[in-house]
Structure formats: C-alpha cells, structure tokens
Amino acid sequence: MGSDRETILKKAVMDTLESMAFVSLTEKTTAFFSDEMLSSGPQRSLPVIKPEGYGFVISMSSALIRETAANILGIGPEEMTAENETDALSEILNTIAGNFMREYISPDTTYELGLPEAGSLSSKERLPEGSKIVVDCPFESETGEYLVVQLLGKLN
Amino acid sequence: MSEFETVNNILIVDDSSTARFIIRQCFEIAGFRGKNYVEAKNGLEALESLEKEKFDLIVTDLNMPGMDGIGLLSSVKASRHSEIPVIVITSTSNQAKNDELKKLGAFLIFNKPISPAGIHQAWETSKK
C-alpha cells in the first residue's frame, strides 16, 4: 500500500460520516489525542482478508457515536441503545474500509473484508507479527468529540 | 403503471440492523414506499423467508456470517426463485467484483453508502 493512503483514508472517513450521518469532521494531529482517551471509548476493528495482512480500527467518543447513530436511525440520542451504537459503529467502519479499498486497490483486483469485531486489532492474533499502525487519521467533530481511524499492517 | 408498482414484497438481507434500516429508508424514498419489507440477517435466514413468502425483489449485502451474499445469490439463481431480481449492496464492490456478481446473476450493484437518488436512477435506467 503506497504513500497516498493517508489522503485516501481521510477522504473515506469524512465522506462516510457526512453521507451516512451528516457529521462534519475536522482533521487533527495525532498529538491531539492521548492513548488513554482512545482506549477508554468504543472501538471496533475489521481485518482485510484479501490482500491479507491489513486491518482497520475505529475509535470514537461515546457522545459522538450516540449522536452519529441517532442521526443515521433518525431517533433522539436518548432513545439509543448500546446495541444500536455498536452496530452503527461497525457499519461505519465497514463503509469506510470499503471506500478506502475501492480507491486504493486496482479496479481489476477484487478485495475482501472481514467482519467487524469489538476492540482493537491484535497484531499477534489477527495480523502478521510486526504489524504496526500504517496510517493514523484523527478527527474532531463540530461538538468537540473525537474520532480516530487507523490502518494497521506490514510496513513497506 | 410505474415500474415501482410491480414490486410489492421486498426481502432485505444484511447482518447489520443499521444497514437494514438505511437500505429500507433509501428504498422507500427512492420510490418503493408502502411496500412489504421483510428482513433477514444472512443468506440462510433469507432462504427460509423465500420458502414462506413470495418476494418480488431481494436486496442483499455480501459480507455476512453464516451464508454470505455470494452464497445467497448463487442459491437463488439455481432455484425456483431464479426470476427474482437480486440487488447487491456492498462495501467491497469494484469493477472486478461487479463483473463477478453480474456473472452470478446480480441485477444491480451498489456501493455503500447508498443513496435514494442512486437507487431511483439505477432502477429507472435498468427498466428502459
């Protein structure tokens, strides 16, 4: 995966949140978010089956996932259930990953995504040994909440 | 009669409840309002529904646990339900995948996220 992957992933994240949930995002630097902040909020991960050795992780503040899921489902945030929020976060990650892969992979080649799962990708269990964060895309919503999408895999 | 009026029963197949909700909303806005929508979480559930009820249209995701969308599409096209149009909505679509799905008998293919306008336009175009 080449050098323009960061640009493609950022666009995939912003386009997906805008079109699915009418949520506008502003790009931030990785220094804006602490590891503790990211690990405390909801996370979902999704491995790439083909080409193998890559995966995506999404981390979002509880308030933003509640707002986003409510927008998608057209209900008030107070009506949201934990299941609604988890399912919406999975579907958002699935759509972001698909948009990224469609732009990044040659149209002559098929690609396959795994199923979204809770938590971050474990490089030991689901990715080749030595896999690291390849692209880190942190964002802030208009309400000051965070969203980070990471592409993990083998470094070239 | 509008082409939309020839479709009454629609089977939506996706493991995500969020995706099923979005698909139904988009299809209603696109012209399929007031239809009977039945939902299934994977290909196996969809095949069970097909044995219980008559459907005019199947809308399916590809990536699902149990039987996936490819399995469902292949099963439907090899069965007595082969005349039912199958629309695929997926996050793993590109030209190579579209060619594969068309060979298997997919009627229309949409990338996620879908939009009502995209569905409406593709449906109208497909009927000309």
Side-chain angles (χ1 to χ4, degrees):
Chain A
M1 299 199 172
S3 59
D4 56 344
R5 56 197 170 200
E6 183 172 345
T7 303
I8 297 172
L9 186 55
K10 283 179 178 173
K11 186 174 187 310
V13 174
M14 297 178 85
D15 287 353
T16 298
L17 268 290
E18 177 69 37
S19 61
M20 284 182 78
F22 314 110
V23 169
S24 295
L25 298 170
T26 303
E27 291 178 34
K28 305 298 279 189
T29 63
T30 50
F32 188 76
F33 305 108
S34 67
D35 291 342
E36 186 182 351
M37 184 196 294
L38 297 184
S39 60
S40 64
Q43 279 188 320
R44 303 293 285 177
S45 66
L46 188 154
V48 179
I49 306 298
K50 179 188 168 187
E52 64 179 349
Y54 293 91
F56 295 87
V57 175
I58 188 169
S59 310
M60 195 184 287
S61 74
S62 296
L64 184 56
I65 182 59
R66 199 170 303 122
E67 175 195 342
T68 304
N71 285 355
I72 291 172
L73 299 174
I75 60 178
E78 69 284 355
E79 298 175 73
M80 292 301 304
T81 65
E83 189 181 349
N84 288 150
E85 293 174 15
T86 302
D87 191 80
L89 191 56
S90 293
E91 186 60 17
I92 289 166
L93 179 58
N94 183 44
T95 305
I96 289 169
N99 281 346
F100 173 85
M101 297 298 286
R102 193 176 306 118
E103 289 298 316
Y104 200 79
I105 299 291
S106 163
D108 301 332
T109 309
T110 57
Y111 58 92
E112 305 287 342
L113 301 176
L115 295 169
E117 295 184 9
S120 60
L121 279 170
S122 162
S123 61
K124 289 181 181 173
E125 294 172 9
R126 301 176 69 191
L127 291 175
E129 192 171 344
S131 295
K132 295 178 180 175
I133 295 171
V134 178
V135 181
D136 208 356
C137 293
F139 296 91
E140 187 180 40
S141 72
E142 290 175 323
T143 52
E145 300 294 333
Y146 74 86
L147 161 66
V148 180
V149 177
Q150 297 165 317
L151 170 66
L152 290 83
K154 299 166 288 187
L155 290 172
N156 292 330
Chain B
M1 180 185 285
S2 159
E3 292 289 353
F4 294 104
E5 292 176 28
T6 64
V7 174
N8 290 309
N9 295 312
I10 301 173
L11 179 58
I12 297 175
V13 192
D14 199 308
D15 57 318
S16 163
S17 60
T18 304
R20 294 196 301 271
F21 179 87
I22 293 170
I23 291 168
R24 177 172 176 160
Q25 291 288 312
C26 286
F27 271 75
E28 287 184 341
I29 295 168
F32 297 94
R33 199 177 294 279
K35 309 299 184 184
N36 174 43
Y37 288 89
V38 174
E39 297 184 3
K41 292 178 185 172
N42 59 38
L44 292 175
E45 278 193 19
L47 292 177
E48 287 175 13
S49 296
L50 284 164
E51 293 307 312
K52 296 175 189 167
E53 205 168 331
K54 180 182 177 299
F55 290 97
D56 306 304
L57 185 63
I58 299 170
V59 184
T60 185
D61 183 25
L62 283 187
N63 199 12
M64 297 178 286
M67 180 185 281
D68 63 13
I70 296 278
L72 174 62
L73 178 59
S74 302
S75 295
V76 167
K77 292 304 165 188
S79 74
R80 62 190 175 88
H81 307 294
S82 62
E83 295 305 312
I84 304 174
V86 178
I87 294 176
V88 175
I89 296 177
T90 178
S91 56
T92 59
S93 167
N94 62 4
Q95 192 56 55
K97 177 67 81 175
N98 289 1
D99 292 345
E100 180 185 336
L101 291 168
K102 286 285 185 187
K103 280 182 186 171
L104 289 171
F107 175 55
L108 293 171
I109 302 153
F110 294 102
N111 293 325
K112 290 182 177 181
I114 56 171
S115 72
I119 293 166
H120 183 94
Q121 186 178 13
W123 180 264
E124 291 285 7
T125 303
S126 72
K127 295 298 180 183
K128 286 178 183 172

